[in-house]
Amino acid sequence: MQRMSQSPTDPAFVQDPYPFYDRLRAAGPLVWWDDYAMPVAASHAVVSALLRDKRFGREDPAPPSRPAHQAAFWAIEDHSMLEAEPPRHTRLRAQVLRAFTSRRVGALIPEIEALAAELANALPREGPFDLLDAYARPLPVRVIARLLGVPEEDAPQLLAWSNAMVGMYQARRTRAHENAAAKAAAEFADYLHEIFRTKRMRGADDLISHLLAVSEDGRLSPEEVTATCILLLNAGHEATVHTLGNAVAGLIEADLWGAPVNDALVEEVLRHNPPLHMFTRFATQDIEVFDHRFARGDQVGLLLAAANRDPAVHPNPARLKPTRYPDAAAPLSFGAGIHFCLGAPLARLELRIGLSALAQTHPALRVTETTSYANIYHFRGFSRLEVDSLP
């Protein structure tokens, strides 16, 4: 196995990690990334295979001791479906799917269309503005707030808590990030517990109420309900914010702004520049795959964005080309296997409606200044996206 070094916080890498991914892919099925001290996969075939291999999971079979200052964060995260494996994952996902149905998501279509139109029509017609703050952030967070049944006016606080908690998974994490994540997790949990108390008294037809009903039947613990709501709130907007921003900038750069916003275009923007670049897995047993022996508990990094740009699957992968679909392989942006993103249908819906509403109201949108990606790897999204509309 070849070894490579590349700091994930190096400014050049943050702005364009794809050349490094190309070198990783050319070096073999697995390459040791020194900076992470673990092997990583960059090809579509290997990433896809390992995502589906049940001998690798999200749950660390031998978790290390954790510092006391992180306790409040892990008190939530340890009960999250995202970090669980069967049989616990099977039980959690089955109960959440009972509430997070395609019917419930589909019923939101008129509301998402109305909200996207409202936000798009409220954007400035003159002068530059930050598309992320004005459009890409409020759209998904207000949608997930409605779906769960929490007040939309709390959206700014939800965003702040979510951003702080996600900081635990960034390559540039510091003690300050860890303290902020723990504080946010504790405050988020307290907020939800008050929401739960109110809903038990009054009742409602929303996702939280359905999860509470499942909990009262004994199929979810109170801690699992809290962790699930936080996961859905965080995952339900964080990735969509980045994808909307990345998609708008990519379409404008490719001179495709104004192209029909259909399923093919949505798949292509998800493939071309996804919001999550690496997902890790733990070996659940001693195993040898792709000429590398993993001991139980060893990690492997699966580079979703690198797999999406594998030229063996997507010719000329750096080109944003919606006509690849429906014939091309589906992007791995939502993962694969038992941890395939539960919210993928909602995310695709928000992207299609959000991009369509923006293109209809601002057909001559343009980026007004050089954009830069935030230093938030494994995630990928802009710090700001300054745009305006040509007359």
Side-chain angles (χ1 to χ4, degrees):
M1 180 188 300
Q2 293 193 39
R3 305 176 68 104
M4 291 191 183
S5 297
Q6 172 59 66
S7 169
T9 60
D10 174 69
F13 173 82
V14 169
Q15 296 311 310
D16 187 6
Y18 293 106
F20 178 64
Y21 295 162
D22 292 340
R23 295 197 297 274
L24 287 173
R25 198 184 306 107
L30 292 171
V31 177
W32 188 267
W33 191 343
D34 284 333
D35 303 79
Y36 280 101
M38 66 179 174
V40 296
S43 73
H44 189 281
V46 178
V47 171
S48 181
L50 293 179
L51 284 170
R52 293 172 168 84
D53 192 327
K54 295 181 180 179
R55 297 169 298 179
F56 291 88
R58 285 288 296 168
E59 199 170 78
D60 188 345
S65 59
R66 292 163 176 160
H69 69 275
Q70 298 178 8
F73 174 83
W74 293 110
I76 300 299
E77 202 72 357
D78 282 342
H79 295 281
S80 171
M81 176 173 59
L82 186 63
E83 306 301 329
E85 288 301 309
R88 189 165 68 99
H89 175 270
T90 306
R91 174 179 57 83
L92 284 169
R93 190 174 179 102
Q95 297 308 322
V96 175
L97 278 171
R98 291 167 65 92
F100 198 67
T101 61
S102 57
R103 178 191 60 80
R104 185 173 292 278
V105 172
L108 282 172
I109 291 176
E111 291 188 53
I112 299 174
E113 290 175 338
L115 178 57
E118 173 194 330
L119 291 169
N121 282 311
L123 295 174
R125 298 288 175 173
E126 295 182 7
F129 60 93
D130 179 12
L131 187 72
L132 301 184
D133 279 344
Y135 190 76
R137 288 193 179 98
L139 177 61
V141 75
R142 288 175 64 179
V143 168
I144 198 64
R146 291 182 184 183
L147 179 65
L148 282 162
V150 300
E152 283 185 51
E153 58 267 26
D154 294 344
Q157 182 60 71
L158 300 177
L159 280 168
W161 284 328
S162 176
N163 290 337
M165 292 184 70
V166 167
M168 282 290 286
Y169 294 102
Q170 296 172 12
R172 64 186 179 92
R173 188 178 95 193
T174 64
R175 174 65 182 263
H177 287 107
E178 295 171 355
N179 290 338
K183 181 174 183 290
E187 291 176 356
F188 211 152
D190 289 343
Y191 167 85
L192 284 172
H193 294 161
E194 183 60 26
I195 295 284
F196 296 165
R197 186 186 67 81
T198 301
K199 288 187 181 296
R200 287 191 178 102
M201 292 173 56
R202 300 178 185 172
D205 183 23
D206 52 46
L207 188 53
I208 285 179
S209 297
H210 282 260
L211 291 173
L212 290 172
V214 169
S215 177
E216 289 168 4
D217 289 345
R219 287 170 287 174
L220 287 176
S221 71
E223 294 82 6
E224 288 169 342
V225 173
T226 301
T228 297
C229 290
I230 289 178
L231 171 64
L232 293 173
L233 278 162
N234 289 354
H237 82 274
E238 189 78 31
T240 307
V241 171
H242 295 323
T243 308
L244 276 169
N246 296 353
V248 170
L251 289 167
I252 291 172
E253 182 180 7
D255 199 24
L256 288 171
W257 188 248
V261 180
N262 50 27
D263 292 343
L265 184 139
V266 168
E267 291 305 290
E268 179 65 349
V269 297
L270 283 165
R271 179 202 70 82
H272 182 258
N273 200 11
L276 177 63
H277 276 216
M278 181 163 68
F279 216 34
T280 56
R281 291 285 192 274
F282 292 95
T284 60
Q285 57 187 267
D286 294 347
I287 182 178
E288 184 170 340
V289 292
F290 299 107
D291 299 323
H292 178 71
R293 179 164 291 279
F294 288 87
R296 181 176 180 270
D298 285 351
Q299 273 189 295
V300 60
L302 307 179
L303 296 169
L304 308 179
N308 282 351
R309 290 209 184 183
D310 186 342
V313 178
H314 299 288
N316 194 8
R319 181 183 175 192
L320 206 161
K321 183 182 175 186
T323 53
R324 295 179 196 276
Y325 296 94
D327 298 326
L332 293 175
S333 307
F334 293 117
I338 66 169
H339 284 289
F340 181 80
C341 178
L342 188 72
L346 177 60
R348 286 185 166 109
L349 190 63
E350 289 176 323
L351 286 169
R352 179 170 58 79
I353 294 173
L355 289 171
S356 180
L358 189 60
Q360 288 172 15
T361 55
H362 291 71
L365 201 68
R366 64 174 182 176
V367 177
T368 60
E369 61 181 56
T370 302
T371 55
S372 61
Y373 288 93
N375 186 13
I376 54 173
Y377 194 82
H378 314 152
F379 305 98
R380 183 165 172 83
F382 292 106
S383 306
R384 292 175 58 82
L385 184 57
E386 293 283 345
V387 297
D388 70 6
S389 275
L390 291 170

